[in-house]
Amino acid sequence: MMLVSRHNSILDIARETGKVEVDELATRFSVSPQTIRKDLKELSDQGLLTRVHGGALLAFGVENLGYSARKDLAGKEKEIIGQAAADLIPDRASLFVNIGTTTEAVARALIQRSGLMIITNNLNVASTLRPFSENEVIISGGLVRATDGGIVGEAAADFIRQFKVDYAVIGVSALDRDGALLDYDYREVRVAQAIIENARHVILVADQTKFERSAPVRIGHIAQVDTFVTDTLVSQDYRQLLADNEVRLVEVAGKAQNEPGNGSRSTTED
């Protein structure tokens, strides 16, 4: 009975945060790490969790995590990725920024810039940048998704197609090892596809947890991306895939959150 109760508690934590870690769970429940690893294996065998190094993720299939959990998951990494991506965009550029907690981190890093034209289907991005008159913010029309302030649907995609911009900053829900860019909501995917098609330089921002997730709807392929900004890339096969498709890789792992972005990150160009 205690085992079942602990399993339920572990699942509750995973639903709230998106991820659980062995050491933290061992401390919380006053059991050994080996016991927690056994718990996670049993939950993984039931398809409820996905094992990763040091812990487990809530199993993903056709439904995404809630907005608050997505925002907290790899939060520090997202902020550093956001700064690195913002460093790639010069003043007086035009750009799209799509839906996602990582793209919102890019928006926060852009608030001190000037002369930008930013077109977005993300109410949170618009709210972040609106008070700063040095930049022009344009928001698409369409259906507002209550869960996260994303604007989705064909009306939003049609609005995006009116523009041809210098940069697109895009986030995804999952990255497949074959290079597919994936999401959960087909209505959001239509907008993301329009963004990719109408930008001269596409910047993908995603942390390593996106390799540990799956999602059912295909946005496109990594070959459509010009620059991939991430915290760290473990897979050598994926690194080769980037090189084969001439995608520039920017890795920011190990960089302190308060370090300057310019010149402080590890950059690999393939």
Side-chain angles (χ1 to χ4, degrees):
M1 185 68 178
M2 287 297 295
L3 184 61
V4 173
S5 176
R6 189 168 64 241
H7 282 193
N8 289 334
S9 297
I10 290 171
L11 287 173
D12 287 341
I13 296 167
R15 291 186 187 102
E16 291 177 4
T17 65
K19 183 176 183 179
V20 290
E21 296 183 357
V22 170
D23 291 342
E24 290 182 2
L25 292 176
T27 299
R28 177 188 287 258
F29 295 109
S30 301
V31 296
S32 70
Q34 290 78 10
T35 297
I36 293 297
R37 291 189 187 96
K38 182 179 178 183
D39 290 346
L40 298 184
K41 182 181 184 304
E42 291 177 2
L43 291 168
S44 177
D45 289 344
Q46 296 175 57
L48 300 172
L49 294 178
T50 300
R51 290 298 309 275
V52 297
H53 180 71
L57 297 173
L58 188 66
F60 298 98
V62 298
E63 185 176 353
N64 202 357
L65 277 175
Y67 176 75
S68 296
R70 296 202 310 273
K71 191 172 182 180
D72 291 340
L73 186 63
K76 181 178 179 181
E77 289 82 358
K78 289 175 181 177
E79 291 302 317
I80 304 172
I81 290 168
Q83 182 62 63
D87 288 345
L88 301 174
I89 299 169
D91 288 344
R92 295 175 293 281
S94 57
L95 65 148
F96 294 127
V97 181
N98 83 333
I99 301 169
T101 55
T102 312
T103 58
E104 290 171 20
V106 179
R108 289 190 289 273
L110 289 172
I111 61 175
Q112 301 302 325
R113 310 300 288 280
S114 63
L116 298 178
M117 174 188 283
I118 302 157
I119 303 115
T120 185
N121 65 322
N122 185 333
L123 287 180
N124 299 314
V125 166
S127 296
T128 295
L129 293 168
R130 179 194 56 79
F132 301 91
S133 58
E134 293 82 2
N135 299 310
E136 182 178 14
V137 180
I138 301 170
I139 193 161
S140 71
L143 175 69
V144 179
R145 196 164 56 192
T147 54
D148 61 2
I151 302 174
V152 298
E154 198 57 43
D158 287 343
F159 182 86
I160 292 297
R161 293 188 189 103
Q162 298 180 77
F163 299 90
K164 185 71 175 184
V165 302
D166 300 318
Y167 296 90
V169 178
I170 64 167
V172 296
S173 293
L175 291 167
D176 197 90
R177 301 289 175 174
D178 68 0
L181 312 177
L182 303 171
D183 214 302
Y184 294 93
D185 188 339
Y186 72 91
R187 300 168 302 173
E188 179 179 343
V189 164
R190 297 294 294 274
V191 184
Q193 290 169 340
I195 285 174
I196 291 171
E197 291 165 3
N198 290 282
R200 297 180 182 90
H201 188 106
V202 177
I203 301 171
L204 170 65
V205 291
D207 64 86
Q208 62 177 326
T209 66
K210 300 301 172 66
F211 288 101
E212 299 160 353
R213 304 173 62 175
S214 62
V217 189
R218 182 186 176 96
I219 299 171
H221 190 269
I222 194 66
Q224 297 170 272
V225 171
D226 297 288
T227 302
F228 176 29
V229 185
T230 187
D231 49 346
T232 186
L233 185 59
V234 176
S235 170
Q236 293 303 313
D237 289 342
Y238 204 88
R239 192 179 296 271
Q240 185 60 50
L241 182 65
L242 296 177
D244 292 344
N245 287 283
E246 299 182 344
V247 180
R248 180 188 180 194
L249 173 63
V250 178
E251 295 177 275
V252 297
K255 302 302 174 185
Q257 193 166 359
N258 60 356
E259 280 188 1
N262 291 325
S264 66
R265 62 186 180 274
S266 171
T267 304
T268 304
E269 294 194 40
D270 295 310

